[in-house]
Amino acid sequence: MASHRAQLLLTLLPTALAFGMQDVEPEIEPLKNLDTDMPIDSPDTDARFFVANVEPSQTMNRDEVLDALLTEWDEFESRQLVPDTQWAEELAQYLEDLAEMRINHIRAWVKSNLTRFQGSHASVIELQRTLESAVIDLKSSVQLCRVQCASCQLFCIQNRLHDGAHDCKTTHACMQSCEYCGEADELEEGEEKKCTMTCSVNVHLCGARCKLWGKNGCLEECAKVSDHQDDDHQCAAVTHACGEPCDLCYVTSVDGSEYRCKGRCRISVDVEHESHQCDAQYCPIPCQLCKRLCASPDHLHALEADAIHLCGTTHACSQRCTAAGVCQIDTAPESIEATFKGMHECFQYTKYSQVAKRLKCVKIIPPGHLQHEGSHDHSLDPNVIHYCQARCASCKYYCTLPLGHSEQEHITRHGSMSNVRWSVDCPDEEGLEVEGRRFSTSDEGAPMMCNLVCQALGRHVHIDYCRAKTPTECRLGGNHEVQHVARKLRPEPDQPKDYLTHNLFWKRSGFKDPYSREEQTNFAKCDSMCAGSEHAASGGKPAVPSYCILPLFHAPLSVNNARPKQGYISRDGHEFTCRDPATRQQPFHIVFLIDRSMSMNKDDRKPLEGSAVCGKIRARGRNNRLGAVYAALHNFWTARQAALGLQRDANTIILHAEGTQSVCENDTTRSPDELLDLLLPNIPKGGNSFNKALKAADVVISKWWDDARPPVIIFLSDGIATVSDRVVQGLFKKMAQNGKGLSLHAILFGPDATSSRLKRMITIALDAQSKTPALTSAPSSFHEALDSVQLSQTFLGIAESLRKPRGALMQ
């Protein structure tokens, strides 16, 4: 409130000083108490003063305003009736009295409107400083030059700071009767009578050219009586000035500008002198601390060595407060409309930022000094508060507690997270969805706010750089609020990272967690969700996820544990309170396209150690990539059979190399062991053709079409082959014509360098699925089976569910 009131008064101040009114257009409004709407009860004048920064329609220049003030003086026309010294003194006093009346009126107005606010408030102090500076300028605007006119003996009545020649603002002609003419008959013999005024007629005066014609102050015509006996013609001027250029030329001011006095030497030509000085009475060089002129009465002051130019008044210190901490934090944040441009979308949002200020020093520099004593402080109150300098790393908001506070945690209101970017643990083309917006790694975080983003994410993790010396040390450290990230994540992909719990993230930040206890309790729980279709969005109804009830980074539970009273334990060790989706799994027609080309003979992938069929597969000489696939397939079939119960998937197995071989089609009767026995005789051989494999899948799906069993293709390869976009597009288009969606899952079990073709296949599949949103099918996906364990887990993941991508904002 104090800041708002001070700012309003600052806005009205120029008009108030110039007119004594709050406003003059479109209607005149007197100065009032803004709280009571009552006019200020103090005397004022109707005079208009020159003040800079007044509305353009009301602006007159300084000389025009001063001329108007002069002519309003009642005694202005009496100038030649009294000595000019007396007249000029009374005029100066008149102008000074007018200015004081206006200044007192303005001070009463400001005081009335600040009564209920603390005088130590920074905004109030700034207002008072501005007012006092404006008062000095207003007084300066009515100060008269009072140097002799360039054309006569009267005083110049222009502003003291005027440019150009001195001017008395008269016709320079004497307006009174000539005393010589009126008293000529009373002259005694031999007595000369001169006209006391510079009469322009020369009926009774000599009128010849003055012997010092051309010198400053010369009145040009001889003022002696006609026919005077000597040849020494002299005008009525008391002094004829030297007239040489003033010595004050080519002087460099403090600001680097060059000053050159245009005046001429005023010293009499009859007086010997070495220094030439004009009529100016003051040093014309600007004050080193403000725009006013130096107060030194010595016009040649600037010629002194190490001269210091000061205006003779107090000055507000221009330095910022040097005390530790933040001087002021505005209660209302600054907001602007900004545009977010990310990988997936572009949208408008409101960006909030904190306005923190280091205020100006409020100490006054005494007259005649360049600086005040002591440190720079924004308040004279010894108990003034400076705020803590700690800043939130994400939004850069300062802590709003006092500097050196005793609280262990910092507190702030938080704003837009402009200092962080997204790091998402999934392919960029997939991204992370947050409140209907999709973000990918390296997208800016400014659309989110520290105190809202976690709420939008629901159960979530944070990401930070790993603090352990090695990944092994991190995994075995026993910290249940940290989980080491095995993958390389941007930014800084080569720098190891950890997932953190919500609680640990805020502890590390040093700031108080801005979320409620209820929200914090929810954030501490596991972010895995049940894969049951009943939890997904459908028919215009939003998704209602069922989450694991265990802590976020819990150890996996064994499926052999005692079955919970309510819910179930998933195969990957999560506990849910809802019904086991395995009891109501949808049966599929699953087409396995298995690469049996010669590269499958490599032994960098082997059957999973400890699996029930590992010995059987090795005994047939399949201790290689193809054997690892056979073992994983057996695990997959076993899991699906347990999930479906009496229902059965229809399994089709097609081996592909240079050609294709159908092992079985639409089989619903064989057990996992029997399916494995069909595969074991087949060994790696030949090259490969992805197009032939996909066309074979097309044929078998069409041949055995069953509305009760939607088709799913699981494509296994090391990626060493080519694939046509048109083949993939045609496959999905044909399925759509039959009114069913198709899912295609590609699994790479070779080097990452050969993954591009499989990834391209999935990109085309996802594009085709996006064009038929009405057809229900699981999104197509790409997986990397880096070893035998992960290969099995990849299959089981397809059989169960896909984890929601993890993502967080980090520096």
Side-chain angles (χ1 to χ4, degrees), residues 378-389:
H378 81 264
S379 174
L380 300 179
D381 182 357
N383 299 317
V384 67
I385 292 176
H386 279 80
Y387 295 98
C388 179
Q389 291 178 294

Side-chain angles (χ1 to χ4, degrees), residues 11 14-15 18-19 23-25 48 51-60:
T11 303
T15 301
F19 299 98
D23 204 352
V24 291
E25 286 186 352
R48 156 77 194 274
V51 177
N53 302 322
V54 180
E55 289 297 322
S57 60
Q58 302 297 331
T59 298
M60 297 169 61

Side-chain angles (χ1 to χ4, degrees), residues 345-408:
E345 52 188 307
C346 176
F347 58 86
Q348 296 284 84
Y349 70 98
T350 303
K351 185 176 182 179
Y352 295 94
S353 57
Q354 187 186 58
V355 180
K357 301 175 182 177
R358 181 160 291 278
L359 301 176
K360 287 185 178 180
C361 175
V362 297
K363 291 185 177 179
I364 299 299
I365 300 175
H369 291 76
L370 288 173
Q371 60 186 19
H372 58 75
E373 295 182 353
S375 61
H376 298 289
D377 300 298
H378 81 264
S379 174
L380 300 179
D381 182 357
N383 299 317
V384 67
I385 292 176
H386 279 80
Y387 295 98
C388 179
Q389 291 178 294
R391 303 180 78 177
C392 171
S394 299
C395 64
K396 306 304 290 181
Y397 270 42
Y398 281 100
C399 173
T400 53
L401 294 175
L403 183 68
H405 58 83
S406 59
E407 289 84 350
Q408 292 184 350

